[in-house]
Structures are given as structure tokens and as C-alpha cells.
Amino acid sequence: MVAFPPCKINLGLHILYKRTDGYHALETCFYPVPWTDILEVIPSDTLAFSQSGDAIPGDPHDNLCLRAYHLLQKDFHLSPVRIHLHKIIPTGAGLGGGSSDGAYTLRLLNDLFNLHLTPTALAAYAAQLGSDCAFFTQDAPQLGTGRGEILTPIDLSLKGKFLVLAKPPIHVSTAEAYAGITPAAPATGLTQTLTQVPLAAWKGQLHNDFEPSVFARHPSIEALKERLYRAGAVYASMSGSGAAVFGIFDKGVDLAFDAGVVHWSGVLTR
Ligand SMILES: C[C@](O)(CO)[C@H](O)COP(=O)(O)OP(=O)(O)OC[C@H]1O[C@@H](n2ccc(N)nc2=O)[C@H](O)[C@@H]1O
Ligand SMILES: Nc1ncnc2c1ncn2[C@@H]1O[C@H](COP(=O)(O)OP(=O)(O)OP(=O)(O)O)[C@@H](O)[C@H]1O
């Protein structure tokens, strides 16, 4: 079986307070973007994991695809599989690429072994892999709360808009980004902003709370965001804890970026 795990952007990201478990309570809108990895899971005599494409930091034995397998193996005594991941989504980007691979491994195993896990059950397993993972068990935009694992569908469509994603050659560690945050309740709740403020007025009203501290350490990320505005973006922001930034345009643009900046662009179809 083959799947194409997408990445995500965060439309608004409010870090509300630090929880007693060390995580932060947040509210964000996860929006899927078809810049995808390629994931194959097939039955095998022995458990095997291989990868191609871009390098992935860390020990391959800790890959989220394998962690997903072991999570279900523990409860369902699954037969061995061979997993191959072709990596395209940049890591350390705030795009949830690793989280997506883990969640899609759960989805493929659910189908391959007819486990009949519901989307809710899959989301609960995914939440054990990481705070961003649960979102990737769903296919539509979701409001994320809690540590990001509590999902509520949101009626929001960017269909027909042209999206540009760009990641400079900077790796932002999620834990490091959270350590630089001073949590605070926002003046306006995220759902209210997203549903009552038109896209044309999001600039200055839709905030990613990670931007001040990450931009202070990495001014080139802020410069990239401003570059998107100068190119005509209606709205631009850093995604997640960075380093990727995105711009939403009313029409297609053809932008050239400095060497080392990996980028994707396309018309959103949902
Ligand atoms: C920044 C976001 O990408 C926004 O979508 C997510 O909150 C990050 O989700 P993630 O990468 O899946 O994060 P996890 O792998 O669960 O946690 C990595 C580290 O980030 C911090 N972390 C993560 C999520 C959260 N709500 N509060 C946190 O403080 C913790 O230090 C944690 O040890
Ligand atoms: N399949 C995978 N793809 C990418 N990273 C993986 C994978 N499995 C484990 N990892 C580890 O997880 C870390 C975080 O993954 P990734 O960088 O894709 O998330 P992210 O882009 O930071 O997204 P976010 O910040 O929104 O969670 C990587 O640096 C890597 O060490």
C-alpha cells in the first residue's frame, strides 16, 4: 500500500499557558498542504524500514514510521511489514512532516490489517506519537487545542488560493522554540478571527506566537516572510515553530529564492 503524507501549515498559533505536564496549551488551525512524502507499507517476513530522498536527522530506528508500527503491534500483534519512506517534506520546518509520516503509517496499517480503527481511535494512537500527529489522521482543516491533539473541524477553505512555502537552510528545534515563548491569552480567540475576519484582513490580526522569539534568533526567516508580502501575498506567516514560512496569494506568482531555500508552490484544491 502506498500513501502520500501531506504537510501542514498553521493558520494562527496561540500559546496559551504552560501545562503541569511540561507541554503548552495552544490553539491553532492546522491546514493540509499537498507537499508530500511518499510512504509504502507492504507485508514482509521481517520488519524492515528503509528511506530515500532527503536525509532525516536522528536514528532511523526512532523514525516515526517505525514508532507507529510498534504502537499498533503492541495492541494488535501485527505481522511484520516492510516500510519505505521517500522523504521530500523538509524537516525542522514547522510543517509536521515527521508527524504526518507517523500518522499515515497508522492509517496504512489500519487498512492493511483491517483493524477497523475509527478516525477518533487513530487520532488517539497518533497523539501518543506527537502533538501534531493526530491532525494527520484527518483530511480536512482542523482547530487544534490542548497540546495540539484535540481536534475540531473548522469551516475554512483556501480553495483556489495560490500558496507559496519556503524554508531557509535553518533547523528550528520545536522544543527550543517552545522554551523561548512567554505564553499569554490572546485578545481575540482564534476561531473568532478565522471565521469572522476575511483573509484580506488577516495581516496584523492572525498571529503565530513563535514569530517574535524565532525571528529574533533568525532574522532571515522574518526577511523571507516580508519577501512574500512584497511579492503580493495577501497573508504570510511562519508555520508552526519554523523555519518554514508561507504566503497566500490571490493569483499565481513565480518567485526565485536564494540557494539553500527549499520551496513549494501551488493552487490549493480544498
Ligand atoms: C509547534 C507545532 O508544530 C504547532 O503545530 C506543534 O506544537 C509541535 O508538535 P510536535 O512537533 O508533534 O511536538 P512533540 O513532538 O509533541 O513535542 C516536542 C516538544 O515540543 C514541546 N511542545 C510540543 C507541543 C506542545 N503543545 N507544547 C510543547 O511544549 C515540548 O517540549 C515537547 O517535548
Ligand atoms: N519520518 C520522519 N520524517 C521527518 N522527521 C522525522 C521522521 N521520523 C522521526 N523524525 C524526527 O522528528 C523530528 C521532527 O520532525 P519534523 O522536523 O518533520 O517536524 P517539523 O517539521 O519540525 O514539524 P513541527 O515543528 O510542526 O512538528 C525530525 O527532526 C527527526 O529527528
Side-chain angles (χ1 to χ4, degrees):
M1 286 185 159
V2 177
F4 297 86
C7 68
K8 56 82 179 167
I9 55 175
N10 295 81
L11 299 176
L13 177 50
H14 297 155
I15 310 299
L16 305 177
Y17 57 87
K18 187 160 187 176
R19 302 173 3 160
T20 54
D21 64 2
Y23 284 87
H24 291 76
L26 58 82
E27 58 176 7
T28 189
C29 175
F30 294 108
Y31 203 96
V33 174
W35 190 7
T36 77
D37 287 340
I38 307 172
L39 177 65
E40 183 182 42
V41 178
I42 53 177
S44 172
D45 296 336
T46 56
L47 177 61
F49 174 75
S50 58
Q51 61 183 95
S52 53
D54 292 348
I56 299 173
D59 181 345
H61 293 94
D62 294 335
N63 195 283
L64 280 155
C65 299
L66 277 176
R67 286 174 49 199
Y69 174 81
H70 290 303
L71 199 55
L72 292 184
Q73 155 65 9
K74 176 166 55 70
D75 289 352
F76 296 96
H77 311 295
L78 304 179
S79 304
V81 294
R82 186 184 182 301
I83 302 172
H84 183 79
L85 173 65
H86 184 72
K87 195 67 199 172
I88 299 168
I89 301 169
T91 60
L95 297 176
S99 304
S100 189
D101 295 335
Y104 271 76
T105 302
L106 294 174
R107 295 174 70 158
L108 284 178
L109 291 169
N110 190 35
D111 294 342
L112 187 65
F113 292 108
N114 298 308
L115 303 179
H116 304 298
L117 292 169
T118 64
T120 303
L122 279 171
Y125 276 110
Q128 297 178 51
L129 295 173
S131 304
D132 269 357
C133 287
F135 163 67
F136 292 104
T137 63
Q138 315 293 314
D139 292 320
Q142 303 282 324
L143 185 72
T145 53
R147 60 184 171 89
E149 85 285 9
I150 299 170
L151 302 172
T152 308
I154 185 166
D155 182 17
L156 179 69
S157 174
L158 297 174
K159 185 173 182 179
K161 297 299 179 185
F162 189 81
L163 184 77
V164 177
L165 268 173
K167 183 210 175 263
I170 297 168
H171 184 111
V172 176
S173 140
T174 302
E176 167 201 325
Y178 271 104
I181 282 277
T182 303
T188 307
L190 184 57
T191 303
Q192 183 176 338
T193 302
L194 288 172
T195 55
Q196 295 179 19
V197 177
L199 168 60
W202 283 2
K203 181 176 181 182
Q205 295 196 58
L206 192 63
H207 302 290
N208 176 336
D209 286 350
F210 282 110
E211 285 191 346
S213 60
V214 172
F215 287 178
R217 284 201 312 281
H218 305 290
S220 60
I221 301 176
E222 182 173 23
L224 202 48
K225 173 185 169 182
E226 293 311 315
R227 168 95 195 282
L228 295 174
Y229 271 126
R230 287 198 305 277
V234 177
Y235 177 72
S237 173
M238 184 173 79
S239 181
S241 50
V245 296
F246 65 88
I248 303 171
F249 296 77
D250 283 325
K251 59 184 187 303
V253 289
D254 184 12
L255 296 178
F257 292 97
D258 296 342
V261 176
V262 288
H263 53 95
W264 175 94
S265 61
V267 177
L268 292 175
T269 55
R270 67 163 67 236

